[in-house]
Amino acid sequence: MKYNFFLLLLLVSVLGFAQQPKISFKAIEKDLKSDKSPYHYEKLIFKYKAYPKSLDTLEAQHLYYGRNFRKDLVSTTDNDFKTLAEAFKNGDFDECIRQGEILYNRDPTNLDILLILLKAYDSKKDGKNFIHHFDQFRVLTDALKGSGDGKSDKTPFLVNSVGDEYILLNILNIGKDYTRGSRSMKDGILDIWEKDNTKIYIKVLYIDY
């Protein structure tokens, strides 16, 4: 069965937009580190890897925003990621899968890695692995989309990085016809994407307390 990659990204864009209560990053950090908490990182990452669809909203938020408190992340500036990106650029999807799964095991909630794996498995017509990683991608992006409604500077969507912001923009189908304005805030950069009378507010987080 052939899975249409961009159609499924569109599916992500129209589901899971219920706004959740204000997120407490300090509580997330505390929960992830406490082995007595139901939101302890090792407990959540086990569910995420084995049964991603079983994660609820709070669990997904802990995994997505908990990235801000981890030290073992794969960065897009790392040589290993650059090698993966080069394989993707060259259309070498077998190599994308080989390298991508290695990096995924190091940093399983990395949206950039998940997207490359999704495209690679889609190109190889590997439905089983595609759907598994898609379920993970959807859980994380649902957590992101539930962080706000994006309609004001008081209720922006919250993202961990500029890269995640552009993933969200693609999901929301916000393209080059939008203009961006930015302003600094104490805990991040607020971007305002505007077209005609429509404004979308997205905050790129900078958590340092």
Side-chain angles (χ1 to χ4, degrees), residues 29-68:
E29 181 182 23
K30 181 180 178 181
D31 287 340
L32 289 173
K33 293 178 179 179
S34 172
D35 57 10
K36 296 181 180 179
S37 169
Y39 302 110
H40 183 246
Y41 178 77
E42 294 302 330
K43 297 174 184 176
L44 293 184
I45 207 66
F46 175 82
K47 287 183 67 174
Y48 170 82
K49 286 184 173 181
Y51 312 103
K53 293 175 73 173
S54 71
L55 289 166
D56 63 30
T57 299
L58 286 176
E59 290 172 325
Q61 286 180 347
H62 275 70
L63 281 178
Y64 179 75
Y65 295 106
R67 292 178 59 79
N68 291 287

Side-chain angles (χ1 to χ4, degrees), residues 40-41 63 90 112 122-123 126 131 134 144 154 175 184 198 201 204:
H40 183 246
Y41 178 77
L63 281 178
N90 294 333
D112 293 307
D122 181 49
S123 297
D126 184 339
I131 289 298
F134 177 76
L144 186 163
K154 304 297 184 184
S184 296
T198 299
Y201 294 80
V204 182

Side-chain angles (χ1 to χ4, degrees), residues 2-6 8-9 12 48 84 88 93 96-97 100-101 104 110-139 141 167 171:
K2 176 67 173 177
Y3 293 89
N4 189 302
F5 179 66
F6 294 104
L8 282 174
L9 280 185
V12 173
Y48 170 82
L84 173 62
F88 178 76
F93 297 118
C96 280
I97 290 170
E101 289 291 353
Y104 161 80
N110 187 309
L111 293 182
D112 293 307
I113 294 171
L114 287 175
L115 274 178
I116 290 177
L117 284 173
L118 284 172
K119 179 59 178 176
Y121 281 123
D122 181 49
S123 297
K124 299 297 292 184
K125 301 182 181 180
D126 184 339
K128 180 179 179 180
N129 282 304
F130 179 92
I131 289 298
H132 182 69
H133 285 307
F134 177 76
D135 287 340
Q136 294 175 324
F137 181 83
R138 182 173 169 181
V139 161
T141 54
I167 289 172
I171 290 173

Side-chain angles (χ1 to χ4, degrees), residues 10 41 63 102 137 143 169 179 187 195:
L10 179 61
Y41 178 77
L63 281 178
I102 292 172
F137 181 83
L169 291 172
T179 59
D187 55 353
K195 175 185 176 184

